[in-house]
Amino acid sequence: MQRWPVLLFLAWVCLLFFAGIGLFMSGFLLTRIELASSSSCSDPLVPPPWERQSLPPGSCWAPQRFSKAVLVIIDALRFEFAHFNPAEANPLPYENKLSFLHHLATSQPRHARLYRFRADPPTATMQRIKGLTTGSLPTFIDVGSNFATYAIQEDNLLAQLGQNGRRVVFMGDDTWEGLFPKKFFRSYFFPSFNVKDLHTVDDGILQHLYPTVDSGEWDVLIAHFLGVDHCGHKHGPDHPEMAKKLTQMNEMLRSLVDHLGNDTLLLVAGDHGMTQTGDHGGDSEKEVNAALFVYSKTPLFSTGLPEEPETVPQVNLVPTVALLLGVPIPYSNIGEVIAELFSGDGDAVSAALQQLSVYHINAKQVDRFLHSYSLVAQDLPADQLQRLRELFSSTVEEHTRLLAQVQGATLVPAELESRLGSLIGRFQLYLREARAVCTQSWARFHPLRMVGGCTLIATSCLLCYVASELAAASDSFYRSCLLYPLLWSLVVAVLLGLARAFTQEGLDILLVSSWAAAASQMGFFWYWWGRHPKRTHLVGGQPPLASVGLRQRLRACLGLAFPMGILLFRCGAMFSDSFVVAEARVAPFLLASLVMLLVGKLHWDGHLTVPEGPKQQLLGFSSYRREIWYLLCLMATLLVCVRLSGFFHQCREEIPQCQPSLFLSPLASLRNTRAKNLFYLLCVALLAGLVYAVRSWLRHYGNLNSSDPLVLFVRWGFPLVALCIACYWAVASSADDSLGKLQELVQVAVVVFPWAVYGLASVGLLLLLCNPMTVFAKDTRESAGSIVTPYLGVPSSEVDFLHVIPQIYKRMQESQKSRLEQGSCRATVAAYGLGSVYSAALVIALTLLGFLLMLLHSERLSLAFLLLFLEAFVLLHIHARARGLAGDAGHQPIFPAIHWNAAFVGFHLDHSTNLLPAVLVGANTFASHILFAVGCPLLLLWPFVCEMPSSQKRKPKKEPREELQEVEEHMMEMRLRESPEKFSAALLQLGLKYLFVLGTQLLACVCAAMILRRHLMVWKVFAPKFLFESLGFVVSSICLLLGISLVMRVDCAVSTWFSQLQLR
């Protein structure tokens, strides 16, 4: 077998796809330009003064109202968590727990107020922190930076506070450390990514909060609590732990208010909300609807509480806090001040004039930013900018005239109030329309890179198809077709590198790799066209069309058109947002329909019936082969599995009536102890059933007979791994219920058992790589010698009489052996498990991977994994039967569906690097991609494995020589070794077809994202679908290479085994 050329060819094709994905991403997911400019006190943004306005010393742009401020961020504080409803008799665990906020708002209505705090998607913590400090909007791609935060370079509120001599103290989420390195006067950071840890961050803050407030060595204090967010991730909002955590926050706020002075502003805010399952990251109503509570011991508001809380965008907090503290508004802010906080204690006219003053400053700052940004980026619509500029100019002029009239006292109070209200409305209109323009336009695209990436992916799909057809026609083409593309790509890369060096420009690695990939594709097609000119119009090197009958040609075309049509139909549906939303329900239906259609097609073609004769006409149903009943049973099993898989569904926000599956939540979220125990026993039983099924399959095909280390590991290691997983499920589901010293033991066990699974699975995979042979050889070529003593006459005693029986058996054995030798059927070596040695290695690898992936999911998803394995087994059998006759796991392509807690299975503390949690979360998200890609070679191997059952059917008795010859015909997977070149070509063809199918779906997602980039649902539906499809393709292609590499490792071991056998 040609092993390395096949792997290198497939790796090269994967790199072509990777280059196309990278090039398209660089054009589709560009971040907006961050301006380096910064605001300062000397900027000419102060409005014209009026008679009762004065700017105190030390204030910038507007009079300072507070000398200190405390910002308490309660991560994932949804508005419903902070809102208090006295009429609720039986509140849910997350309702009416922050009663102190309601007490302050009702008892001091001019001092406190609750707002709906509207977050901009994506609702990930890092992006929300950026919005809360810069007043700008993070771009879509920033959501991927939650694993690796980078420092904020553009002007922000913390930078302005530092430049103006304010001391900022921070405590809590260590995400701030990466965003604002060395920006704090004092800081207390705590690890934040472990979503299973509810108390470390909050307890650390409470340890430092009150002493720091009392010390007075601060001007702005920021405390970022994470317990509520982590409780939502771990248990969901409707859980008693959430009630405990919110009650703790309520008591914290009650104590904090007692420590505050009269010159201090208190802000309690949530950075985002959470879904009903406790997740966030998307743009559903519950995710973007956070809470903001404002309080001061001095009066803030000129009016009482409104009937309904007002909605405030999160970016509005930045200009409001900046002007209240007397510092400049950050340069890139597009938020609008919360005007009622600037009303003061005067009459209505005085309050309106003060609000008008801060609106004027705010509007000037936004206008300056839009002007500077439009000169650099050129991506804001010119006509809308002109209209905004005209609105701003006319409003400022009107404001100047009004202030002149106020100073001249030429207006009556009624007319003045009316004009003030109108002018405030015009400033509000300008600020809100400016924000809307930025929101709509900050999806900056690079059309050339998008088209280039789409073209690379499309040509890679074409290359996969052409190369797979060539692999079917020629067994060794890939060895000669690989050299020229690599040389072309190397030459282009060197030329581009030299050109960049001579022009002294920075080397764009992504662009160079894309050009190199395109050059290698051209090299392949050039070589193929020149070497095989006659095949350019043929399919797979078939004979000329003139020599083929019309019916055969139509049949060949239809045979290709049907699967290609189904694939293209599914790809075309990617352009529909409703299909992408409902894809989780459509895909199982499509799978079941295709299986039924396959059986119908086989029957239509006559492959399920025996040629009819006089006897067959009398037998009726007996004319059907036995395979039809087997196929019908397989199809019924598959339909049942598909139906059961519907219970493991994740809901999207676009389907409001949908309720998420209960199986997605961990057992720890169940409050009913009896239900928890029953589910646990069911999960353990399913895990044990999987181990039993795998071992039974291996024993059936003779792969558990030897005493090699791998076989011993399968016998004893598999049950031990299952036991460790079951123990981990037990301690993880009861970790919150244990007390005292038992709690410490549980915390240790939660780490030890996953590490035991990681270690055992790693040992199993290493044994599989070192010696993947699961064959037991019994050598009978040498005679065992005489087993009885010679016959010495009539037995004289009972002992001698008993000696006659083995002697007779010996004579019978010698007689049978002589008959075999006369028929040239002499027995040599009996090898148990050799016919399924390739499949056995893949089954063992898939089981070990299944154990690891089950560990990263919640306990009740073990049923989903069992269904996944059962569906794969049934589909392989249907594939094998059809070939012989004819000749998810609860994930959605949305960010809230990502199970972040998988990053801490086996880890009690935070990670020291971002790579490991990214790998664990990726393995959880793309579990089905991993299993199916690694098991892809089974599509080639399974039909050979299924030869064995067909040889055991009842057949008429034949001579011994005929029987042995017939047994030798069923060599199963050893048939592949009869022609190593064809085996290599078949593996290559299988890999290329798998990449072609995945690449075609990826191409459809890329085209949909590119064509519909201005669609209303692009960032909600098409962009997440493209990202998940791209990452899934990368994971699948890497796992496909690993699966084929394992098959080749087994083939190498089999060759060594045969070589050693011949030397005996």
Side-chain angles (χ1 to χ4, degrees):
M1 174 188 282
Q2 298 294 329
R3 301 184 184 96
W4 286 110
V6 172
L7 283 177
L8 289 176
F9 196 93
L10 288 174
W12 169 62
V13 173
C14 292
L15 290 176
L16 296 179
F17 279 105
F18 295 167
I21 294 173
L23 185 61
F24 182 83
M25 278 189 173
S26 67
F28 181 69
L29 298 176
L30 287 176
T31 57
R32 63 175 176 86
I33 293 177
E34 295 183 353
L35 301 182
S37 303
S38 178
S39 298
S40 67
C41 288
S42 59
D43 293 338
L45 300 182
V46 181
W50 50 286
E51 57 179 2
R52 281 173 287 178
Q53 180 193 30
S54 61
L55 196 61
S59 296
C60 286
W61 297 7
Q64 175 184 344
R65 290 203 62 187
F66 296 95
S67 60
K68 293 180 180 292
V70 176
L71 174 60
V72 176
I73 299 178
I74 301 178
D75 208 291
L77 182 66
R78 207 168 78 191
F79 178 78
E80 288 80 0
F81 297 177
H83 183 63
F84 190 89
N85 184 8
E88 189 67 50
N90 298 308
L92 296 173
Y94 59 83
E95 293 179 335
N96 292 356
K97 296 301 181 293
L98 296 179
S99 57
F100 183 66
L101 301 183
H102 176 71
H103 168 72
L104 288 177
T106 53
S107 62
Q108 306 177 54
R110 297 189 60 194
H111 296 252
R113 185 104 359 134
L114 179 66
Y115 297 94
R116 294 183 183 270
F117 207 31
R118 192 81 177 179
D120 296 296
T123 50
T125 296
M126 190 195 74
Q127 284 66 41
R128 293 298 86 237
I129 294 175
K130 287 185 177 181
L132 288 170
T133 55
T134 64
S136 186
L137 302 176
T139 51
F140 180 84
I141 191 59
D142 283 343
V143 74
S145 303
N146 245 14
F147 278 108
T149 60
Y150 53 90
I152 294 178
Q153 302 297 330
E154 64 182 337
D155 195 14
N156 58 81
L157 184 58
L158 270 67
Q160 288 296 331
L161 291 169
Q163 291 171 12
N164 288 274
R166 309 300 173 87
R167 298 165 297 178
V168 182
V169 177
F170 177 84
M171 52 189 69
D173 186 351
D174 62 353
T175 304
W176 291 72
E177 183 179 16
L179 294 174
F180 305 100
K182 301 179 181 179
K183 296 291 185 183
F184 299 105
F185 176 75
R186 188 181 298 115
S187 58
Y188 306 95
F189 297 113
F190 302 97
S192 62
F193 193 62
N194 188 354
V195 295
K196 291 187 176 182
D197 184 1
L198 308 185
H199 307 294
T200 298
V201 177
D202 293 0
D203 293 345
I205 296 174
L206 294 176
Q207 181 181 356
H208 300 282
L209 179 60
Y210 308 121
T212 302
V213 173
D214 294 337
S215 69
E217 297 179 355
W218 57 277
D219 295 303
V220 175
L221 190 150
I222 303 174
H224 191 157
F225 291 87
L226 286 176
V228 172
D229 178 67
H230 287 189
C231 185
H233 284 295
K234 186 176 181 180
H235 301 291
D238 192 10
H239 193 275
E241 285 296 324
M242 182 62 77
K244 295 179 183 178
K245 184 53 66 176
L246 290 174
T247 302
Q248 182 189 28
M249 294 295 100
N250 188 63
E251 296 304 316
M252 177 271 297
L253 293 172
R254 188 188 303 274
S255 300
L256 179 61
V257 168
D258 294 336
H259 290 75
L260 297 181
N262 294 332
D263 61 341
T264 304
L265 174 68
L266 173 63
L267 300 163
V268 181
D271 57 342
H272 53 75
M274 68 171 64
T275 64
Q276 203 56 38
T277 57
D279 301 311
H280 60 89
D283 60 350
S284 67
E285 186 64 27
K286 293 183 178 179
E287 291 171 274
V288 301
N289 199 16
L292 172 65
F293 182 79
V294 183
Y295 173 77
S296 172
K297 291 187 176 181
T298 57
L300 273 173
F301 307 96
S302 59
T303 60
L305 289 178
E307 294 183 2
E308 286 294 329
E310 184 183 349
T311 299
V312 175
Q314 279 192 356
V315 291
N316 291 9
L317 185 67
V318 172
T320 303
V321 173
L323 295 182
L324 286 174
L325 295 177
V327 298
I329 301 174
Y331 194 92
S332 301
N333 166 75
I334 59 170
E336 171 192 343
V337 292
I338 305 175
E340 59 182 346
L341 292 178
F342 297 88
S343 300
D345 298 329
D347 55 10
V349 173
S350 176
L353 285 171
Q354 289 180 357
Q355 293 179 9
L356 200 56
S357 177
V358 294
Y359 268 126
H360 189 120
I361 297 172
N362 193 186
K364 273 192 172 182
Q365 171 265 320
V366 171
D367 177 72
R368 179 186 63 174
F369 167 70
L370 292 180
H371 178 70
S372 302
Y373 188 85
S374 62
L375 295 177
V376 176
Q378 305 290 335
D379 61 351
L380 296 177
D383 56 338
Q384 296 188 24
L385 281 177
Q386 180 63 28
R387 185 172 56 84
L388 286 173
R389 184 68 184 176
E390 293 173 356
L391 176 60
F392 170 75
S393 300
S394 62
T395 306
V396 169
E397 292 176 2
E398 176 65 22
H399 185 205
T400 305
R401 288 196 299 267
L402 180 62
L403 290 179
Q405 293 174 356
V406 168
Q407 291 178 350
T410 60
L411 295 176
V412 296
E415 182 183 0
L416 178 59
E417 288 184 18
S418 174
R419 291 186 61 181
L420 285 172
S422 174
L423 197 54
I424 289 175
R426 293 180 64 181
F427 272 122
Q428 291 176 339
L429 177 64
Y430 168 77
L431 291 169
R432 292 170 187 178
E433 288 195 359
R435 180 171 176 265
V437 169
C438 293
T439 303
Q440 295 171 2
S441 302
W442 276 345
R444 298 183 61 248
F445 303 110
H446 196 302
L448 289 179
R449 291 201 172 200
M450 286 194 295
V451 172
C454 187
T455 304
L456 266 180
I457 296 174
T459 51
S460 300
C461 293
L462 179 62
L463 188 148
C464 285
Y465 178 75
V466 171
S468 66
E469 294 298 327
L470 288 177
S474 175
D475 298 335
S476 59
F477 86 96
Y478 47 87
R479 286 179 293 178
S480 56
C481 278
L482 187 59
L483 179 61
Y484 289 93
L486 295 180
L487 288 177
W488 280 46
S489 62
L490 182 61
V491 169
V492 170
V494 170
L495 291 177
L496 287 174
L498 292 176
R500 291 281 182 173
F502 282 115
T503 56
Q504 296 182 350
E505 295 182 6
L507 189 64
D508 191 340
I509 301 298
L510 182 59
L511 201 58
V512 171
S513 62
S514 301
W515 277 107
S520 65
Q521 288 180 339
M522 292 177 61
F524 172 84
F525 288 115
W526 181 272
Y527 177 79
W528 168 69
W529 183 277
R531 188 71 180 270
H532 306 282
K534 295 182 180 180
R535 292 185 182 179
T536 58
H537 60 279
L538 300 179
V539 179
Q542 293 178 352
L545 293 178
S547 62
V548 181
L550 178 61
R551 185 173 182 179
Q552 288 82 359
R553 280 183 285 170
L554 289 175
R555 188 166 242 177
C557 293
L558 289 175
L560 179 64
F562 181 72
M564 291 294 291
I566 293 176
L567 179 61
L568 293 177
F569 175 77
R570 185 178 187 278
C571 292
M574 296 292 183
F575 290 81
S576 169
D577 58 338
S578 58
F579 173 82
V580 176
V581 170
E583 186 179 9
R585 292 180 294 172
V586 175
F589 176 79
L590 179 62
L591 175 62
S593 302
L594 288 178
V595 172
M596 296 181 68
L597 190 61
L598 173 64
V599 176
K601 183 177 183 300
L602 291 174
H603 174 64
W604 180 267
D605 293 339
H607 296 302
L608 300 180
T609 57
V610 178
E612 296 187 359
K615 294 183 179 180
Q616 284 77 3
Q617 291 179 357
L618 296 175
L619 292 176
F621 279 105
S622 61
S623 64
Y624 284 88
R625 293 184 182 181
R626 292 180 57 187
E627 281 80 356
I628 181 60
W629 301 110
Y630 190 65
L631 272 176
L632 290 175
C633 291
L634 290 175
M635 186 180 68
T637 304
L638 180 62
L639 293 177
V640 171
C641 291
V642 171
R643 175 63 67 177
L644 291 176
S645 65
F647 289 103
F648 305 90
H649 64 277
Q650 181 77 289
C651 289
R652 296 183 61 119
E653 186 264 336
E654 297 88 348
I655 309 177
Q657 296 82 10
C658 178
Q659 293 294 329
S661 173
L662 297 176
F663 292 94
L664 299 180
S665 57
L667 288 179
S669 62
L670 289 179
R671 286 174 282 178
N672 190 324
T673 305
R674 184 176 181 181
K676 181 188 294 187
N677 293 335
L678 289 176
F679 271 114
Y680 174 76
L681 293 177
L682 176 62
C683 295
V684 173
L686 294 174
L687 184 62
L690 177 62
V691 174
Y692 175 79
V694 172
R695 291 182 58 185
S696 299
W697 185 89
L698 293 171
R699 187 181 297 109
H700 174 70
Y701 286 101
N703 296 105
L704 286 184
N705 292 323
S706 70
S707 58
D708 292 335
L710 179 60
V711 176
L712 294 178
F713 181 84
V714 174
R715 290 178 182 172
W716 305 107
F718 276 17
L720 187 58
V721 173
L723 178 62
C724 291
I725 295 176
C727 292
Y728 170 71
W729 288 346
V731 295
S733 61
S734 59
D736 298 326
D737 301 331
S738 54
L739 301 173
K741 293 184 178 180
L742 185 61
Q743 176 72 24
E744 299 179 1
L745 294 176
V746 167
Q747 293 299 329
V748 173
V750 167
V751 176
V752 169
F753 284 122
W755 274 103
V757 175
Y758 294 150
L760 288 171
S762 301
V763 169
L765 292 174
L766 286 176
L767 291 175
L768 185 62
L769 291 176
C770 294
N771 184 18
M773 293 290 290
T774 53
V775 177
F776 174 65
K778 184 177 181 182
D779 196 343
T780 60
R781 289 176 294 185
E782 298 180 2
S783 176
S786 177
I787 60 174
V788 294
T789 56
Y791 179 70
L792 300 177
V794 178
S796 58
S797 64
E798 185 177 358
V799 175
D800 292 336
F801 181 80
L802 294 175
H803 201 61
V804 174
I805 297 176
Q807 186 177 15
I808 296 174
Y809 176 77
K810 174 63 177 176
R811 289 182 176 275
M812 293 172 62
Q813 195 177 38
E814 292 176 349
S815 174
Q816 181 69 16
K817 183 177 180 180
S818 63
R819 290 181 60 191
L820 292 174
E821 290 175 347
Q822 292 175 1
S824 301
C825 293
R826 180 171 54 87
T828 55
V829 177
Y832 298 93
L834 187 61
S836 58
V837 64
Y838 296 99
S839 298
L842 284 172
V843 169
I844 293 173
L846 289 173
T847 306
L848 290 173
L849 290 175
F851 285 147
L852 292 174
L853 295 173
M854 275 193 283
L855 186 69
L856 298 177
H857 287 75
S858 63
E859 303 89 339
R860 288 185 283 182
L861 281 178
S862 58
L863 177 58
F865 275 92
L866 184 65
L867 290 175
L868 186 70
F869 280 110
L870 186 58
E871 287 178 7
F873 177 79
V874 171
L875 286 173
L876 285 172
H877 270 277
I878 292 176
H879 166 67
R881 292 288 171 171
R883 177 175 173 176
L885 291 170
D888 231 333
H891 287 284
Q892 284 268 19
I894 49 177
F895 293 107
I898 298 177
H899 300 161
W900 301 106
N901 57 337
F904 286 90
V905 175
F907 298 89
H908 182 61
L909 300 176
D910 203 11
H911 291 279
S912 59
T913 175
N914 292 317
L915 178 61
L916 186 57
V919 170
L920 294 176
V921 173
N924 175 283
T925 305
F926 300 103
S928 59
H929 295 72
I930 294 172
L931 293 175
F932 279 109
V934 172
C936 179
L938 289 175
L939 291 171
L940 173 64
L941 302 172
W942 207 263
F944 296 95
V945 176
C946 291
E947 282 187 1
M948 182 178 175
S950 62
S951 65
Q952 297 176 348
K953 296 177 182 178
R954 294 184 179 180
K955 296 181 179 179
K957 294 183 178 180
K958 300 179 182 179
E959 295 296 326
R961 179 177 178 179
E962 295 178 357
E963 290 180 358
L964 288 175
Q965 288 178 347
E966 187 169 322
V967 171
E968 288 180 356
E969 289 178 359
H970 299 286
M971 298 171 61
M972 300 169 67
E973 291 177 349
M974 287 301 102
R975 287 186 182 276
L976 297 169
R977 293 188 54 83
E978 294 177 351
S979 179
E981 289 290 340
K982 291 186 179 297
F983 189 13
S984 301
L987 275 177
L988 177 63
Q989 188 180 22
L990 176 65
L992 289 172
K993 288 184 176 180
Y994 193 82
L995 292 176
F996 172 76
V997 173
L998 294 179
T1000 305
Q1001 296 179 87
L1002 174 64
L1003 178 62
C1005 293
V1006 166
C1007 292
M1010 180 177 65
I1011 296 173
L1012 303 173
R1013 61 186 181 275
R1014 294 298 180 186
H1015 191 276
L1016 178 65
M1017 305 293 287
V1018 60
W1019 302 116
K1020 190 178 183 68
V1021 175
F1022 296 109
K1025 177 64 177 175
F1026 158 68
L1027 284 178
F1028 278 83
E1029 198 72 31
S1030 300
L1031 293 174
F1033 179 88
V1034 173
V1035 172
S1036 297
S1037 56
I1038 294 174
C1039 293
L1040 174 68
L1041 292 176
L1042 294 177
I1044 293 179
S1045 300
L1046 179 59
V1047 172
M1048 294 182 173
R1049 175 67 187 93
V1050 176
D1051 185 75
C1052 182
V1054 171
S1055 300
T1056 304
W1057 185 81
F1058 275 114
S1059 300
Q1060 294 175 353
L1061 193 65
Q1062 293 175 357
L1063 295 176
R1064 291 183 185 179

